[in-house]
Amino acid sequence: MSTTLSEQELQRRDALAKLAALGIDPYPAEAFEVNVTAKDILENYERDKLNYKNISIAGRMMGRRVMGNASFIELQDATGRIQAYLKRDDLCPEEDKTLYNTVFKKLLDIGDFLGIKGFVFTTNTGEISVHVQQLTLLSKSLKPLPVVKSADGKTFDAVTDPEFRYRQRYVDLVVNPQVRETFVKVSKVKTAIRNFLNERGALEVDTPVLQSIPGGAAARPFITHHNALDIPLYLRIANELYLKRLIVGGYDWVYEFSRNFRNEGMDRTHNPEFTVLEFYTAYKDYLWMMDITEKLFEHVAIETNGTAKLQVGDKEINFTAPYPRVSIYDAIKEHTGFEVDGLDESGLREVCKQLGIPTDESMGKGKLIDEIFGEKCEHHYIQPTFIIDYPVEMSPLTKKHRSKPGLVERFELMINGKELANAYSELNDPIDQRIRFEEQLKLMERGDDEAMFIDYDFLRALEYGMPPTSGIGIGIDRLAMLMTNQQSIQDVLFFPQMRPEKVLKQAGTGDYTAQGIPEEWIPVLQKMGLNTIDALKAANPNKVFNDLGGLRKKMKLEIPMPTKDEVLRWFE
């Protein structure tokens, strides 16, 4: 991020001042009434021309072709782009032609928001366009947008630099229309889920984001401090325990789109702030939950994309129910050859050693099994598959299996080699739950910073009685990645977490002269955008030399031109 203004930014600020001098407010307060969109015009004009004789539309000017007394612009609103035609004498029917000759041609820029009133027509080349009768500046853009070419609804030379796109998402959305479409589809995913659950009688609720105990998952929390109460608080890592409290309170089916926070690593499938859907249903078990989950995923795929078969990267994934069900022990046996059922902690460590999986002393039996599955099995499950019946050590909130000692009634839904959902027959025995929490406390004492805290209020709630319940957590961001065919979680989050942006401070006169640059050439280099010594040294010396000559002539500078050898020494 530079603190200095480029030549284009200076020119736009000069235009801003000239607009004000003409009595034109570049940021007017009054509303501009819009009665049509670009998409509406393009889709419906041909069959209903009479309805487009008096239209009002607004958007950004994304292109301009000036041809003397007539011009064309590309106007972009939230639905797409449409061409507009401006004729000087129509826009300025009186003798004063300032609005066209000065304001439109000289003081407006690409990126400015304009309000247009007029009528729709078809040009001689067959393009549906808006004939402008009134033009209003709604907002002046002071920064130039990246140049992106488009034709026939397709974008060429799109901005692809991830650092720029994620950090300046507002620009990414303007210049890359396919990105806007991705986020529309992300919204459809959430709407489809809400409709599915609401139609079946589920109740959407809200639970605390700031929690005194970070419960409901095994993860490292973010810690903050409440000044008035003088207590530490945690950003929630999960909302599970609060939703179960609501089941205790008498609701049969509750759900929440929960914004969760985990102080862990970042990669293409992990962001420290993310969205999870959790829902809990009384009088159900994990077998029912598998049935409803596969129906939900099939529904979301169809509602979002019109089909249950989706292209994800180079793979086709079929979300049509039902999905296969494989026990975690069978999965490990199939993909490693090891039978880990019945092994103690030392035996599991030996298996990890033979498989080349690193371990440490903080890992208990459950964590070791999780590492084996994650490293050697998970990536094999491309089509939707339920991995079921986990060992009790991996699942402190889960009910023991009804017929298999040592296991719990839990499943994870794997799709495209990643976990998309995690579900249980929920543990509702308060005594057993207390024992499980105490075992987690022992892991915490061994150094496992992802072990669960003991939530005594939740234990108290269970002691009042919770009916048999099944619950699930679904990673909404990962689901959105699948539904939109995106390979990185950053592409389905409007504003993904990033490192702080470096602020580039402009070099001073002494910094330039220390490089052997004469003072009279410093403003020229700054006009070229070389506002730091690092920027200068990163430039092409030959191009800098040539540009100096061009600007010397353009700026009519009465100073001697440095030799090429002198310029080259500036880069040493």
Side-chain angles (χ1 to χ4, degrees), residues 226-264:
H226 193 293
N227 290 334
L229 296 177
D230 193 24
I231 58 170
L233 289 174
Y234 303 87
L235 295 182
R236 71 177 167 204
I237 57 176
N239 58 347
E240 174 172 343
L241 302 187
Y242 282 98
L243 293 178
K244 288 180 181 177
R245 286 172 169 93
L246 296 179
I247 297 295
V248 171
Y251 294 106
D252 281 350
W253 192 346
V254 293
Y255 75 93
E256 180 180 16
F257 284 92
S258 173
R259 202 69 172 169
N260 292 348
F261 307 84
R262 298 185 182 179
N263 197 355
E264 299 169 349

Side-chain angles (χ1 to χ4, degrees), residues 295-366:
K295 291 174 184 175
L296 171 62
F297 274 64
E298 181 179 1
H299 169 80
V300 171
I302 293 171
E303 288 296 307
T304 306
N305 291 282
T307 176
K309 295 181 179 179
L310 305 184
Q311 193 67 32
V312 179
D314 59 354
K315 310 176 189 78
E316 183 182 78
I317 297 180
N318 188 354
F319 285 88
T320 305
Y323 304 157
R325 304 178 183 190
V326 181
S327 79
I328 190 170
Y329 284 149
D330 288 345
I332 292 173
K333 177 70 181 297
E334 178 182 356
H335 297 293
T336 70
F338 285 95
E339 180 65 70
V340 298
D341 186 8
L343 292 183
D344 59 13
E345 187 175 313
S346 61
L348 289 168
R349 289 186 183 278
E350 180 60 29
V351 170
C352 287
K353 182 178 179 181
Q354 293 187 46
L355 293 174
I357 299 173
T359 63
D360 61 57
E361 289 303 314
S362 71
M363 292 180 177
K365 183 176 177 181

Side-chain angles (χ1 to χ4, degrees), residues 251-458:
Y251 294 106
D252 281 350
W253 192 346
V254 293
Y255 75 93
E256 180 180 16
F257 284 92
S258 173
R259 202 69 172 169
N260 292 348
F261 307 84
R262 298 185 182 179
N263 197 355
E264 299 169 349
M266 296 189 297
D267 57 34
R268 68 182 187 87
T269 59
H270 293 86
N271 192 68
E273 179 181 356
F274 59 99
T275 302
V276 172
L277 166 75
E278 293 205 26
F279 65 80
Y280 292 80
T281 313
Y283 314 114
K284 305 297 182 184
D285 61 11
Y286 83 138
L287 298 175
W288 173 89
M289 186 62 78
M290 280 187 266
D291 292 339
I292 201 72
T293 300
E294 59 196 10
K295 291 174 184 175
L296 171 62
F297 274 64
E298 181 179 1
H299 169 80
V300 171
I302 293 171
E303 288 296 307
T304 306
N305 291 282
T307 176
K309 295 181 179 179
L310 305 184
Q311 193 67 32
V312 179
D314 59 354
K315 310 176 189 78
E316 183 182 78
I317 297 180
N318 188 354
F319 285 88
T320 305
Y323 304 157
R325 304 178 183 190
V326 181
S327 79
I328 190 170
Y329 284 149
D330 288 345
I332 292 173
K333 177 70 181 297
E334 178 182 356
H335 297 293
T336 70
F338 285 95
E339 180 65 70
V340 298
D341 186 8
L343 292 183
D344 59 13
E345 187 175 313
S346 61
L348 289 168
R349 289 186 183 278
E350 180 60 29
V351 170
C352 287
K353 182 178 179 181
Q354 293 187 46
L355 293 174
I357 299 173
T359 63
D360 61 57
E361 289 303 314
S362 71
M363 292 180 177
K365 183 176 177 181
K367 196 74 175 282
L368 293 168
I369 293 173
D370 192 35
E371 288 293 312
I372 294 170
F373 180 81
E375 289 291 324
K376 300 299 179 180
C377 308
E378 190 174 86
H379 60 279
H380 291 288
Y381 295 98
I382 304 302
Q383 299 303 320
T385 304
F386 291 117
I387 303 299
I388 66 172
D389 297 347
Y390 283 66
V392 66
E393 294 84 357
M394 292 180 66
S395 312
L397 298 171
T398 312
K399 184 172 288 188
K400 290 179 181 178
H401 201 284
R402 67 195 72 180
S403 61
K404 299 176 182 177
L407 302 182
V408 294
E409 296 194 346
R410 172 187 176 188
F411 71 79
E412 290 185 315
L413 176 58
M414 299 293 165
I415 306 175
N416 200 31
K418 290 291 179 182
E419 173 206 338
L420 264 291
N422 185 22
Y424 316 145
S425 291
E426 299 295 339
L427 179 60
N428 60 346
D429 179 342
I431 296 173
D432 190 2
Q433 181 65 82
R434 184 179 295 272
I435 293 170
R436 306 271 195 97
F437 274 149
E438 289 170 349
E439 289 169 352
Q440 288 288 301
L441 185 60
K442 292 176 184 176
L443 290 175
M444 191 179 295
E445 291 168 352
R446 288 172 56 177
D448 186 348
D449 57 8
E450 292 186 353
M452 288 190 188
F453 287 65
I454 298 180
D455 188 333
Y456 290 104
D457 178 69
F458 174 66

Side-chain angles (χ1 to χ4, degrees), residues 102-171:
T102 302
V103 175
F104 172 72
K105 292 174 68 174
K106 298 178 181 179
L107 302 182
L108 297 187
D109 293 287
I110 302 302
D112 289 352
F113 279 91
L114 305 177
I116 287 173
K117 293 185 178 181
F119 60 89
V120 181
F121 74 108
T122 304
T123 66
N124 292 334
T125 60
E127 183 167 355
I128 296 173
S129 306
V130 178
H131 189 119
V132 182
Q133 295 173 306
Q134 293 182 39
L135 179 69
T136 305
L137 174 61
L138 301 178
S139 182
K140 179 70 181 164
S141 169
L142 299 183
K143 269 191 169 306
L145 293 167
V147 177
V148 176
K149 299 175 183 176
S150 63
D152 300 324
K154 295 182 180 179
T155 301
F156 305 92
D157 300 327
V159 176
T160 57
D161 175 28
E163 170 75 14
F164 178 86
R165 291 183 53 239
Y166 302 153
R167 196 176 294 284
Q168 298 188 49
R169 179 70 83 188
Y170 36 87
V171 180

